């Protein structure tokens, strides 16, 4: 079996298989990996998904990417191991539904991809008897999803850096209560400073002996598993071959790229709605054809979407026939007409986000947190522009409302009930190290810790 190959969006690096793309992360030419061709799933295969549980759908969607590098039986096992939680589809009205991707161990949709990527990487390391150190900076959701996903995975050690003053108690506890192969380091400073320390460590010749990886959101392993839930939702909501509307609250555009790829693999889409918060560089680009990133990014309520230049935009541009470099410069324009035909994007303000949380609750008993509220409001904007005509629609809720108890309580006067994974955090003891925001201290720490382990 010839493995599917992945090429770089910058087109100056050689194509690699899934194993190498996963272990490398970013391509050597600073581009992002994309499959050379998208495998097509036959309509009969899609129709069969209706009777399959989530891990089995995941196996069938991901199989073509892993062919030749991962035994099918092993992939099926990893899928069963990764997807042990519910994926509820909540009816709202008519054929409109909310897909709740908030039931994983860290209560955000990032669990779906992080758990699969961790298992893939763990498998490939075992195969080669190698080990890997993952160094990552987080402002909240990513760090906890990555740390939880790699917790207990043999051959991998994770160091997570976080700004002590910028993460919520719950977010911090999701990382600091794991222990074993996970170490968390609190720094006095801002997220950007933590990120800068990580970048310096990657470039440091004295640390070259340490096999370091970032496992960040540009890794193709964080993207492919995000195609699965679109197939899953369609298999439950749409008739075979019937196009669906999907609304995805977007920041770095990894989640929406999952839907774009699902579309290329044969999932019928009527429209992909990509609402953003006040960081409106993408809807402006769709409208004007001119792209300008927002620096620094704007602070909005839906904080996991405070992105002034989506890191996956280069991939979207590439799928639509253009080329964008790692700095956000368009080398070659994508097919804007096709983009406008397939996508709909609007910007949702914080005031609209709050109103939407209230109206969804009073109107439909639909409990949303800020990210899901942006998705819902963007979907309403779409409905105002174009009739649904009886098509099925699915709006994504990407985090559990209990992750934002203060905001929800202020708006609705009720406290969302925490799922078990979040509730039990209150009783677990924390363990983390504290360091000053200083590269020399950080390097000494890494070297000592490495010796000690
Ligand atoms: C990361 C995140 C998003 C944005 O997803 P992207 O793939 O970066 O577009 C939306 N909602 C929540 C809760 C997130 O954690």
């Amino acid at each position: 079996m010839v493995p599917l190959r992945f090429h770089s969006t910058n087109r100056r690096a050689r194509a690699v298989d899934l194993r190498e793309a996963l272990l490398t992360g970013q391509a050597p030419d600073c581009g992002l990996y994309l499959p050379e061709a998208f495998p097509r799933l036959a309509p009969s295969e899609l129709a069969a998904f209706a009777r399959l549980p989530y891990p089995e759908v995941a196996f069938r969607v991901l199989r073509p990417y892993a062919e030749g590098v991962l035994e099918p039986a092993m992939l099926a096992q990893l899928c069963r191991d990764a997807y042990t939680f519910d994926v509820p589809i909540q009816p709202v009205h008519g054929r409109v539904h909310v897909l709740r991707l908030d039931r994983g161990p860290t209560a955000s949709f990032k669990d779906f991809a992080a758990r699969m990527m961790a298992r893939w990487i763990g498998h490939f390391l075992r195969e080669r008897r190698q080990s890997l150190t993952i160094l990552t900076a987080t402002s909240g959701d990513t760090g906890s999803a990555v740390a939880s996903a790699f917790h207990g995975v043999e051959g991998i050690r994770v160091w997570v850096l976080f700004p002590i003053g910028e993460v919520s108690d719950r977010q911090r506890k999701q990382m600091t209560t794991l222990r074993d192969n996970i170490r968390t380091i609190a720094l006095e400073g801002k997220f950007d400073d933590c990120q800068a320390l990580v970048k310096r460590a990657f470039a440091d010749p004295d640390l070259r002996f340490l096999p370091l990886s970032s496992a960040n959101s540009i890794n193709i392993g964080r993207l492919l598993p995000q195609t699965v839930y679109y197939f899953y939702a369609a298999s439950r909501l749409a008739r075979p071959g019937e196009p669906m509307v999907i609304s995805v609250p977007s920041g770095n555009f990894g989640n929406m790229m999952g839907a774009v790829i699902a579309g290329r693999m044969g999932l019928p889409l009527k429209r992909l709605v990509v609402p953003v918060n006040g960081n409106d560089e993408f809807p402006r680009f769709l409208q004007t054809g001119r792209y300008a990133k927002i620096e620094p990014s704007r602070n909005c309520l839906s904080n996991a979407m405070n992105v002034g230049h989506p890191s996956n935009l280069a991939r979207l541009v590439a799928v639509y026939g253009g080329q964008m470099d790692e700095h956000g410069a368009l080398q070659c324009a994508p097919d804007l007409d096709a983009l406008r035909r397939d996508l709909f994007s609007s910007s949702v303000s914080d005031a609209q986000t709050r109103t939407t949380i209230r109206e969804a609750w009073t109107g439909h008993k639909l409990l949303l947190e800020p990210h899901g509220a942006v998705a819902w409001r963007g979907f309403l904007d779409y409905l105002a522009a174009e009739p649904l005509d009886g098509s099925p629609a699915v709006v994504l809720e990407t985090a559990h409302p209990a992750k934002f108890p203060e905001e929800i309580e202020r708006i609705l006067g009720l406290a969302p009930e925490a799922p078990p994974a979040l509730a039990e955090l209150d009783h677990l003891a924390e363990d983390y190290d504290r360091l000053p925001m200083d590269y020399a201290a950080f390097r000494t720490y890494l070297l000592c810790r490495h010796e000690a382990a």
Side-chain angles (χ1 to χ4, degrees):
M1 201 54 87
V2 182
L4 193 112
R5 302 194 75 77
F6 296 81
H7 66 78
S8 163
T9 50
N10 280 348
R11 305 215 159 255
R12 290 189 308 267
R14 73 189 167 80
V16 299
D17 63 18
L18 178 67
R19 176 188 317 171
E20 198 170 337
L22 274 167
L23 296 176
T24 329
Q26 192 170 38
D29 64 357
C30 296
L32 307 182
Y33 284 118
L34 263 183
E36 254 174 3
F38 294 102
R40 295 285 294 188
L41 299 177
S44 59
E45 282 179 275
L46 299 190
F49 288 175
R51 291 179 303 278
L52 300 176
Y54 192 90
E56 185 66 26
V57 175
F59 167 63
R60 294 182 187 213
V61 172
L62 297 173
R63 183 170 47 187
Y65 295 101
E67 238 158 34
V69 292
L70 192 57
E71 287 300 320
M74 176 55 72
L75 177 63
Q77 177 59 41
L78 297 182
C79 289
R80 282 193 295 272
D81 201 49
Y83 301 118
T84 50
F85 46 89
D86 276 355
V87 188
I89 301 176
Q90 180 182 348
V92 184
H93 60 79
R95 299 187 76 195
V96 178
H97 292 74
V98 164
L99 177 64
R100 293 209 169 260
L101 302 175
D102 57 354
R103 303 298 153 103
T106 72
S108 98
F109 87 97
K110 291 190 170 71
D111 286 326
F112 283 81
R115 287 173 68 80
M116 196 70 239
M117 176 172 74
R119 280 157 182 79
W120 276 339
I121 291 181
H123 171 82
F124 291 135
L125 290 175
R126 274 197 302 283
E127 216 175 47
R128 297 178 170 190
R129 297 197 165 68
Q130 287 176 340
S131 64
L132 189 67
T133 299
I134 288 173
L135 201 54
T136 186
T138 186
S139 54
D141 280 351
T142 304
S144 49
V146 167
S148 158
F150 282 104
H151 185 221
V153 176
E154 212 182 308
I156 294 184
R157 187 162 33 174
V158 180
W159 276 310
V160 188
L161 282 71
F162 67 95
I164 186 79
E166 289 187 11
V167 305
S168 72
D169 283 356
R170 273 211 172 123
Q171 285 176 321
R172 189 188 65 246
K173 286 183 182 171
Q174 283 183 318
M175 304 182 276
T176 59
T177 56
L178 289 170
R179 299 156 202 271
D180 307 322
N181 61 331
I182 313 292
R183 283 300 322 163
T184 35
I185 307 165
L187 290 138
E188 301 287 346
K190 302 188 60 68
F191 166 68
D192 293 341
D193 305 322
C194 296
Q195 185 81 41
L197 288 193
V198 169
K199 284 208 170 129
R200 248 180 107 175
F202 278 112
D204 190 338
D206 290 348
L207 296 174
R208 200 67 31 98
F209 72 95
L210 262 179
L212 286 178
S213 169
S214 73
N216 66 10
S217 64
I218 52 157
N219 195 305
I220 189 75
R222 288 275 304 275
L223 208 60
L224 298 177
Q226 291 174 178
T227 56
V228 175
Y229 37 75
Y230 300 108
F231 286 104
Y232 179 78
S235 76
R236 266 64 184 171
L237 301 177
R239 290 184 277 273
E242 187 184 32
M244 188 169 69
V245 173
I246 298 175
S247 178
V248 186
S250 293
N252 268 319
F253 280 42
N255 203 2
M256 70 78 75
M257 273 311 293
V260 169
I261 294 176
R264 300 280 156 154
M265 293 175 72
L267 184 75
L269 293 176
K270 179 173 155 79
R271 205 68 118 96
L272 179 55
V273 182
V274 227
V276 297
N277 60 23
N279 292 280
D280 60 354
E281 65 279 1
F282 184 71
R284 278 173 190 279
F285 171 53
L286 260 195
Q287 203 169 38
T288 63
R290 279 186 305 277
Y291 180 69
K293 44 182 159 178
I294 296 177
E295 278 177 310
S297 59
R298 298 175 184 140
N299 272 331
C300 304
L301 215 49
S302 44
N303 58 7
M305 293 164 24
N306 292 339
V307 179
H309 171 50
S311 54
N312 277 292
L313 196 54
R315 284 193 170 112
L316 181 67
V317 166
V319 169
Y320 281 85
Q323 195 178 339
M324 176 180 269
D325 72 12
E326 66 274 21
H327 310 292
L330 272 178
Q331 317 291 1
C332 168
D335 182 345
L336 264 177
D337 292 334
L339 269 171
R340 288 174 181 144
R341 206 162 43 234
D342 296 348
L343 309 184
F344 177 94
S345 184
S346 63
S347 163
V348 177
S349 70
D350 278 357
Q352 290 172 317
T353 304
R354 290 195 175 94
T355 314
T356 304
I357 291 176
R358 188 176 313 111
E359 290 176 357
W361 179 249
T362 50
H364 306 289
K365 280 283 172 285
L366 172 63
L367 184 60
L368 297 173
E369 54 69 58
H371 304 82
V374 169
W376 185 258
R377 173 62 201 224
F379 174 65
L380 297 181
D381 290 343
Y382 163 72
L383 288 187
E386 197 172 295
L388 198 54
D389 281 338
S391 296
V394 62
V395 178
L396 268 53
E397 175 52 288
T398 48
H400 196 286
K403 278 191 130 173
F404 302 87
E406 297 87 5
E407 194 60 42
I408 307 274
E409 185 143 18
R410 237 189 325 271
I411 299 170
L412 300 181
L414 60 90
E417 197 182 332
L422 289 183
E424 74 182 15
L425 287 175
D426 296 340
H427 310 292
L428 297 177
E430 291 186 76
D431 180 21
Y432 59 94
D433 297 322
R434 293 187 78 131
L435 283 180
M437 192 59 80
D438 171 54
Y439 183 68
F442 176 56
R443 180 169 63 180
T444 306
Y445 172 94
L446 286 185
L447 291 169
C448 294
R449 276 280 167 180
H450 174 70
E451 302 272 308

